[in-house]
Amino acid sequence: MKELPKKYDHHKVEEGKYEFWLDGGYFKSGDKTKEPYTIVIPPPNVTGKLHLGHAWDNTLQDMIIRRKRMQGYDALYLPGMDHAGIATQAKIDEKLRSQGIFRHELGREKFLEIAWDWKKEYAGHIREQWKALGVSVDYDKERFTLDEGLNKAVTEVFIHLYEKGLIYRGERIINWDVEAKTALSNIEVDHKEVQGAFYYFKYELEDGSGFLEIATTRPETMYGDTALMVHPEDDRYHEYVGKRAYIPGTDRLIPVIYDDYVDMDFGTGCVKVTPAHDPNDFEVGQRHDLPMPLCMNEDGTMNHLAHKYEGMDRFACRKACVKDLQEAGLCTKIEQITHNVGHSQRTGVVVEPRLSKQWFVKMEPLSKQAVEKSTVQFVPARFEKTFLHWMDGTFDWCISRQLWWGHRIPAWYKGDDVHVGYDAPEGDGWKQDEDVLDTWFSSALWPFSTLGWPDDTDDLKRYYPTTTMVTGYDIIFFWVARMIFQALEFTGESPFEYCLIHGLIRDADGRKMSKSLGNGVDPMDIKEEYGMDTLRYFLTTNSAPGMDLRFEIEKVESSWNFINKLWNISRFTLMNLGDFTIDDVEIDTDDLTLSDRWILARLYETINETDYNYEKFEFGEAAKSVHSFSWDDFASWYVEVSKIALQSDDEATVKRTKSILAYVLLDIMKLLHPFMPFVTEEIYQQLPHIEDSIMISPWPDAIEEFEDAQAIQDFARIQDIIKAIRNVRAEYNVAPAKPIHIVLKVTDPHAQSVLQENLAILERFTYPEAIEFVTEYSSDNELVSIILKDVEIILPLGDLVDIAQEIARLEGELRRLEGEIKRCEGMLKNPNFVSKAPDFKVQQERDKLAAYNEQHATTKARLAELK
RNA sequence: GGAGUCAUAGCUCAGCGGGAGAGCACCUGCUUCACAGGCAGGGGGUCGGGGGUUCGAAUCCCUCUGACUCCACCA
């Protein structure tokens, strides 16, 4: 006889399972006889450990792929990692700095050697964590964004877009990260509201005729000013246009010009123009052919244009020059304001708009194509709007980064000549661009570059386009959108059929989990304490698609409790199966008791509901069906009922019951395997089974022969009677196991036979002294009577019965029934309802009304007797 | 300034066109031979306010209020 330990021990259960699966080769894809189903992992950065967000993301992917594998697909879950340019380089820099080493002292080559070592180390950590999560990824297909193959894809894409005129190099105002000393794209900048000020300055006119006053939030940029501008229709300023004014505190003169960009009603109506440090001013500068001097260095310190402030940090300079100009009477007013300021997503520093020569992707043709041709189905659908909305208004994408860790831009320069290609052109003197590409440039190709593109590989043909992408809404712009337009451009197809979007993980107080708040939760800590199955179940059942997930330890505990429940129903089953084998499992649908038919009918319904919700990616709903089936139906009722049959002397009865226990439990395990792979594997191994692993066992079938509405209805009658009796026992404080006399007044012949055939069940649950069936029962005040449909339960409780209480209860019941009757009649009297509502609905109401009327009459009669 | 989300039981959330649900918390009984992290019973909600569509609305539409998120170069 097999026996499981009394308590579910997640440590023991999870130990060795992953190795077992790996050894079995179950994660491998490639069975050509099957239809492919592909998910590529969103590649984690090789910067650190996986957090709860990854655990969520990866569990969702793994659930989908495990189910599809069981359903007979050639399931490919392709793993990989992202080099994460800025993030990784920043971390390596930091580590080097702590050792007193600076990147530039090392040189590019040496630095890259260190970076690759770093990658190797972190890739190892990440694989360890995938293992802990239990994700069934095919390691034979693992990729890294800086792999040779992917590098080839990146280069190919760059060259193609360049030749098509969709990649260009130009001087633009870009977002400059003064700490990382690199350009950023627009979406790598987070706008945050901060306290700032409007500083008013006097620009004195050259001819001594007075001054012009401007307001600015960034005084330090005045050293890059090359003009003042006013609106052409602004009467206040006509006389000044054409004159020249001094940049305050300097002897540099700048012209006063007209430009209709100016908003006359804002500020003073006069604006300083700093073409090298502001995107709008840059355009003004171009229109008026103004000089565009930078007044800052790459690290955010001021340059020689700031004369005495040279070398000072931009914010220190702001403070200093404001103070000096105040003293000189040239700063007239300071207004405190709150305004939005761009911060680098990576380093957090205030981004400096800066004129700089960079590479850009021309977005308009690509986004137009994406909007028109994308066939990706977002789940939930509303995220398609998010995607389209962004595609609609996106700016050209700055793709060059002043870093070393990344794909080096395939461009070579010699004087003014530029060559874009795989290799440098023939001849001496060509120098390759020092910069690398934005990390997202390579991530955008991930769904096809990982499968071998640009070569027309077997994998690409077989697994591309991929089936489902799972990711958070926070990277729709960064990644999803770019994958879509690049895929359409280069493969002519959308990169995936479905895109399942999930939200963010928040702490118990609803705050975003972040390093700075220190409120992050390490999935490995949860694994240690509750087990990964618990964490997975928690993560995938506590929010709807696209919604955020609040991390609450109480819910993790309740997930553990559910698994412990499953453990115990398995324990019960195994204790009773004895040496029962898979060959002994036999279900003859012509030879079943009501409870057997009922549990199988419920199983049938549960499989259908679960499948329906799995297909819609509604995992919370899918789990809800299995949860209530296994706990409320199987554990609370069938297991109890089976105890009767298992004690029978009749061998066939015992065998039938064991078969059903084993069969139903096995299906429960399979339905839950995608949620909790470890414990379901453990239990599967103990139960009679065929395949070597639950992972490769077939997904449960909803067998139509099991569908049985009559059984569900009949069993519900039994349950109702039992519940009613339990209820009375509680209400009258009758000890649960104290034997009581039960009289059932049944007139309906079908009800009569159902109850009589299942008398043992009634006895099992109600602890009767005797159960008596009657068609008439003489009035007696010392009894409690519960009136159900077709059945009246009479409990002669003698002294325990309180007539007044009983009258009150029955009157309450009467009121309830009257309410119901009124409702039914109201609906049925409404001609519109009868004519417009579906027939089955109308019939349903009629049936209910009949039943209520009958119950009402019986209750009223009983009440009359009492009075 | 645009776009979107949320408002349902004390808490956290499902449900999203046909009679209000779960988990946790709370109250009352239980050492019932799988489980006391369990079993049985119970209390608790005019489903944010107001309109509309519909035979029927928590569910669809409009509007208001409150919370949040993303996008956006007004100095």
Side-chain angles (χ1 to χ4, degrees), chain A residues 81-99:
Chain A
M81 301 175 205
D82 196 306
H83 67 283
I86 300 183
T88 309
Q89 179 156 333
K91 289 226 168 188
I92 299 172
D93 271 347
E94 193 185 315
K95 185 180 159 196
L96 290 173
R97 235 176 294 138
S98 73
Q99 299 165 357

CSV table of all heavy atoms in Angstrom, one decimal, chain A residues 81-99:
chain,number,residue,atom,x,y,z
A,81,MET,N,18.7,35.3,-23.6
A,81,MET,CA,19.0,36.5,-22.8
A,81,MET,C,19.4,37.7,-23.6
A,81,MET,O,19.8,37.5,-24.7
A,81,MET,CB,20.1,36.1,-21.8
A,81,MET,CG,19.7,34.9,-20.9
A,81,MET,SD,21.1,34.5,-19.9
A,81,MET,CE,20.7,32.7,-19.6
A,82,ASP,N,19.3,38.8,-23.0
A,82,ASP,CA,19.5,40.1,-23.6
A,82,ASP,C,20.8,40.7,-23.0
A,82,ASP,O,21.0,40.7,-21.8
A,82,ASP,CB,18.3,41.0,-23.4
A,82,ASP,CG,18.3,42.2,-24.4
A,82,ASP,OD1,19.4,42.9,-24.4
A,82,ASP,OD2,17.3,42.4,-25.0
A,83,HIS,N,21.6,41.2,-23.9
A,83,HIS,CA,22.9,41.8,-23.4
A,83,HIS,C,22.6,43.1,-22.6
A,83,HIS,O,23.4,43.5,-21.8
A,83,HIS,CB,23.9,42.1,-24.5
A,83,HIS,CG,23.4,43.1,-25.5
A,83,HIS,ND1,22.5,42.9,-26.5
A,83,HIS,CD2,23.8,44.4,-25.6
A,83,HIS,CE1,22.3,44.0,-27.2
A,83,HIS,NE2,23.1,44.9,-26.7
A,84,ALA,N,21.5,43.8,-22.9
A,84,ALA,CA,21.1,45.0,-22.2
A,84,ALA,C,22.1,46.0,-22.0
A,84,ALA,O,22.6,46.3,-20.9
A,84,ALA,CB,20.6,44.6,-20.8
A,85,GLY,N,22.5,46.6,-23.2
A,85,GLY,CA,23.6,47.5,-23.3
A,85,GLY,C,23.9,48.4,-22.1
A,85,GLY,O,24.8,48.2,-21.3
A,86,ILE,N,23.1,49.5,-22.0
A,86,ILE,CA,23.3,50.5,-20.9
A,86,ILE,C,23.3,49.8,-19.5
A,86,ILE,O,24.2,50.1,-18.7
A,86,ILE,CB,22.3,51.6,-21.0
A,86,ILE,CG1,22.3,52.3,-22.3
A,86,ILE,CG2,22.6,52.6,-19.9
A,86,ILE,CD1,21.4,53.5,-22.4
A,87,ALA,N,22.3,49.0,-19.3
A,87,ALA,CA,22.1,48.5,-17.9
A,87,ALA,C,23.4,47.7,-17.5
A,87,ALA,O,23.9,47.8,-16.4
A,87,ALA,CB,20.9,47.7,-17.8
A,88,THR,N,23.8,46.8,-18.4
A,88,THR,CA,24.9,45.9,-18.1
A,88,THR,C,26.2,46.7,-18.0
A,88,THR,O,27.0,46.6,-17.0
A,88,THR,CB,25.0,44.8,-19.1
A,88,THR,OG1,23.8,44.2,-19.3
A,88,THR,CG2,26.1,43.8,-18.7
A,89,GLN,N,26.4,47.6,-19.0
A,89,GLN,CA,27.6,48.3,-19.0
A,89,GLN,C,27.7,49.2,-17.7
A,89,GLN,O,28.8,49.3,-17.1
A,89,GLN,CB,27.8,49.2,-20.2
A,89,GLN,CG,29.0,50.0,-20.2
A,89,GLN,CD,29.5,50.5,-21.6
A,89,GLN,OE1,29.2,49.8,-22.6
A,89,GLN,NE2,30.2,51.6,-21.6
A,90,ALA,N,26.6,49.7,-17.3
A,90,ALA,CA,26.6,50.6,-16.1
A,90,ALA,C,27.0,49.7,-14.9
A,90,ALA,O,27.8,50.2,-14.0
A,90,ALA,CB,25.2,51.2,-15.9
A,91,LYS,N,26.5,48.5,-14.8
A,91,LYS,CA,26.8,47.6,-13.7
A,91,LYS,C,28.3,47.2,-13.7
A,91,LYS,O,28.9,47.2,-12.6
A,91,LYS,CB,26.0,46.4,-13.7
A,91,LYS,CG,24.5,46.6,-13.4
A,91,LYS,CD,24.0,45.6,-12.4
A,91,LYS,CE,22.7,46.1,-11.9
A,91,LYS,NZ,22.2,45.2,-10.8
A,92,ILE,N,28.8,47.0,-14.9
A,92,ILE,CA,30.2,46.6,-15.0
A,92,ILE,C,31.1,47.8,-14.6
A,92,ILE,O,32.1,47.6,-13.9
A,92,ILE,CB,30.6,46.0,-16.4
A,92,ILE,CG1,29.7,44.8,-16.6
A,92,ILE,CG2,32.0,45.7,-16.5
A,92,ILE,CD1,29.8,44.3,-18.1
A,93,ASP,N,30.7,48.9,-15.1
A,93,ASP,CA,31.4,50.2,-14.8
A,93,ASP,C,31.5,50.3,-13.3
A,93,ASP,O,32.6,50.6,-12.7
A,93,ASP,CB,30.7,51.4,-15.4
A,93,ASP,CG,31.2,51.7,-16.8
A,93,ASP,OD1,32.2,51.1,-17.2
A,93,ASP,OD2,30.5,52.5,-17.5
A,94,GLU,N,30.4,50.1,-12.6
A,94,GLU,CA,30.3,50.3,-11.2
A,94,GLU,C,31.2,49.4,-10.5
A,94,GLU,O,31.9,49.7,-9.5
A,94,GLU,CB,28.8,50.1,-10.8
A,94,GLU,CG,28.4,50.5,-9.4
A,94,GLU,CD,27.0,50.1,-9.1
A,94,GLU,OE1,26.1,50.3,-10.0
A,94,GLU,OE2,26.8,49.6,-8.0
A,95,LYS,N,31.2,48.1,-11.0
A,95,LYS,CA,32.0,47.1,-10.3
A,95,LYS,C,33.5,47.5,-10.5
A,95,LYS,O,34.3,47.4,-9.5
A,95,LYS,CB,31.7,45.8,-11.0
A,95,LYS,CG,32.4,44.6,-10.3
A,95,LYS,CD,32.1,43.3,-11.0
A,95,LYS,CE,33.1,42.2,-10.8
A,95,LYS,NZ,33.0,41.1,-11.7
A,96,LEU,N,33.9,47.9,-11.7
A,96,LEU,CA,35.2,48.3,-12.0
A,96,LEU,C,35.7,49.5,-11.1
A,96,LEU,O,36.7,49.5,-10.5
A,96,LEU,CB,35.4,48.6,-13.4
A,96,LEU,CG,35.3,47.5,-14.4
A,96,LEU,CD1,35.4,48.0,-15.9
A,96,LEU,CD2,36.4,46.5,-14.2
A,97,ARG,N,34.7,50.4,-11.0
A,97,ARG,CA,35.0,51.6,-10.3
A,97,ARG,C,35.3,51.3,-8.8
A,97,ARG,O,36.2,51.9,-8.2
A,97,ARG,CB,33.9,52.6,-10.4
A,97,ARG,CG,34.4,54.0,-10.9
A,97,ARG,CD,33.2,54.9,-11.1
A,97,ARG,NE,32.3,54.5,-12.1
A,97,ARG,CZ,31.0,54.6,-12.1
A,97,ARG,NH1,30.4,55.0,-11.0
A,97,ARG,NH2,30.3,54.2,-13.1
A,98,SER,N,34.5,50.3,-8.3
A,98,SER,CA,34.7,49.9,-6.9
A,98,SER,C,36.1,49.3,-6.7
A,98,SER,O,36.7,49.3,-5.6
A,98,SER,CB,33.7,48.9,-6.5
A,98,SER,OG,33.9,47.7,-7.1
A,99,GLN,N,36.7,48.9,-7.8
A,99,GLN,CA,38.1,48.4,-7.8
A,99,GLN,C,39.1,49.4,-8.2
A,99,GLN,O,40.3,49.1,-8.4
A,99,GLN,CB,38.2,47.1,-8.7
A,99,GLN,CG,37.3,46.0,-8.3
A,99,GLN,CD,37.2,45.0,-9.4
A,99,GLN,OE1,37.8,45.1,-10.5
A,99,GLN,NE2,36.5,43.9,-9.2
